Amino acid sequence: MRTGNRLAIITALIVGIIWSSLAWSYDELVEKKTFTMPTYTTIGGKTIKNVKIGYETYGRLNAAGTNAIFIPHYFTGTSHAAGKYAATDPAPGYWDSIIGAGKPLDTDKYFIVSADTLVNLNTKDPHVVTTGPASIDPDTGKPYGMTFPIVTFRDMVNTQKALCDSLGIHRLKAVMGASGGSMQTMEWAASYPEMVERAIPVIPGGVEASAYLVETLNTWMAPILNDPKWNKGDYYGKEEPVQGVAESLKLITMASRHYGWAEKAFGRKFAAPDKNPLDSWDNAFAIESVLDKATAAGAKKYDANSLLYTARANQLYRVHQDATLEEGVKRIKAKVLFIPAKSDLLLFSDYSKKAMEMLSAQGNKVEYFELQGDGGHLDGLFQIGQAGEVIREFLTK
């Protein structure tokens, strides 16, 4: 594979887009919509005005409002889970292979809803409108920056619940999300147990962020905090901390992958065949060169402060966190299907197994399916088709 091709693929991974060789299953164009809340009070007691939530839907809601499936997205993702906004788009949404007529998330049967999280990283994407630190504070007329309240996954779920209420959804057939979306999935099940029938956490983080994950996220934040251009979050209208974001994305990319993927994609090849890293510090291995270029490109797409806020939400994750962990887990009534990835070196399958033990002990019906491969954490996006029939069957039980 040529270095240019590798760069295109790695860049696609970083910005959360699956390349166009995947089948386009959802056969209708998707419209991005906006839900607005006049105010929202966070779990931490702070009020945010004029909250906007971007969302998209697939399929049709039944008259009873009971055939909906909600999909919260992963760390760097958006609500664009399936389909295309225009026929000319180069690639569909990230789970397009399982969303659509006749697919496991069958839009002939189910009404699928996906929403951008609060503090979404993709502030420069014209399809992303959700409120966060890059938004204008109506009280000052300036971007919030780091004065924006710290938010949790429960805050995200609460705003998603308000969206669902506005759409006339009374019951959720399931909530299904990957990575950070898996954490929101479990928070949905704990916060609104009478509404959520099934939970499908993919590449899951269990029921709380481990100490290991908390520090991993800290390492992702450090390059931004140490970039002088971050300026304590006051960089809007000035030079942005793109170098810090690029270094953060490099850490995120490697944590999200597996050594098997790195060997297949790069091995120990040099960036240029005639430039041995032994001979000069200016010479690099192929994997170094490609990730450097790809993350530099990706850094221009993301908001640094929003990355920090999203990382903090992940660190704070514990289902229904105003109670003890045990009390939070006891609130969950849903049937749960855990779908970890065997090669995941970020959210280990042990997290799923521990959560399964807790849920099984209190009588929940729990199932487990492990994705095979050596793609690492991202197998939860790229290999989700392996679990397609298991998901289809689980939705009918």
Side-chain angles (χ1 to χ4, degrees), residues 8-288:
I9 290 174
I10 300 301
T11 303
L13 296 180
I14 292 170
V15 301
I17 299 173
I18 300 179
W19 46 92
S20 57
S21 60
L22 292 181
W24 180 9
S25 305
Y26 188 69
D27 57 3
E28 298 179 30
L29 294 181
V30 178
E31 178 187 0
K32 192 64 173 279
K33 302 174 184 178
T34 302
F35 169 67
T36 302
M37 301 175 68
T39 63
Y40 172 72
T41 301
T42 70
I43 298 303
K46 302 295 179 62
T47 298
I48 308 170
K49 299 177 181 178
N50 302 331
V51 176
K52 293 182 179 180
I53 304 294
Y55 72 99
E56 49 196 75
T57 64
Y58 325 92
R60 304 290 183 271
L61 183 65
N62 64 18
T66 58
N67 69 327
I69 296 174
F70 192 89
I71 300 181
H73 63 73
Y74 55 96
F75 193 97
T76 59
T78 71
S79 61
H80 196 41
K84 296 183 177 183
Y85 297 123
T88 54
D89 288 353
Y94 63 93
W95 268 351
D96 191 79
S97 62
I98 61 168
I99 298 173
K103 298 297 178 180
L105 302 187
D106 190 344
T107 51
D108 287 339
K109 296 174 61 177
Y110 307 117
F111 178 58
I112 315 295
V113 183
S114 182
D116 300 331
T117 59
L118 292 170
V119 302
N120 190 283
L121 279 66
N122 299 272
T123 58
K124 299 171 187 178
D125 183 337
H127 292 292
V128 175
V129 298
T130 305
T131 304
S135 303
I136 299 299
D137 180 347
D139 290 336
T140 66
K142 299 178 181 179
Y144 281 101
M146 301 305 282
T147 67
F148 194 79
I150 293 174
V151 294
T152 68
F153 282 135
R154 189 172 172 193
D155 289 307
M156 297 176 190
V157 167
N158 285 346
T159 59
Q160 293 162 9
K161 170 63 162 56
L163 165 63
C164 288
D165 289 345
S166 76
L167 295 174
I169 296 171
H170 301 299
R171 294 277 291 175
L172 287 169
K173 183 68 67 173
V175 181
M176 176 179 175
S179 192
S182 80
M183 300 175 188
Q184 293 169 67
T185 295
M186 299 308 289
E187 185 60 61
W188 256 106
S191 294
Y192 300 101
E194 304 307 321
M195 185 174 181
V196 179
E197 296 179 10
R198 297 168 184 82
I200 309 176
V202 179
I203 43 176
V207 289
E208 69 174 346
S210 69
Y212 189 88
L213 178 59
V214 168
E215 179 54 26
T216 297
L217 290 156
N218 182 47
T219 68
W220 295 1
M221 293 188 281
I224 295 172
L225 299 175
N226 291 327
D227 187 329
K229 292 179 181 177
W230 177 62
N231 192 33
K232 297 184 178 180
D234 182 16
Y235 56 78
Y236 298 108
K238 308 171 187 177
E239 282 194 79
E240 298 187 12
V242 291
Q243 183 60 41
V245 175
E247 293 300 318
S248 177
L249 290 177
K250 196 182 303 182
L251 292 171
I252 293 170
T253 301
M254 292 308 295
S256 299
R257 279 307 204 172
H258 183 269
Y259 52 80
W261 160 82
E263 287 302 311
K264 287 180 180 178
F266 303 100
R268 290 182 53 80
K269 294 177 181 178
F270 301 156
D274 59 341
K275 294 185 178 180
N276 190 331
L278 174 65
D279 299 331
S280 170
W281 285 105
D282 294 328
N283 300 342
F285 288 92
I287 190 170
E288 296 177 298

Side-chain angles (χ1 to χ4, degrees), residues 208 318-331:
E208 69 174 346
R318 187 182 74 204
V319 293
H320 214 72
Q321 67 183 67
D322 57 346
T324 66
L325 178 62
E326 291 73 19
E327 289 170 339
V329 172
K330 285 180 180 178
R331 292 179 56 87

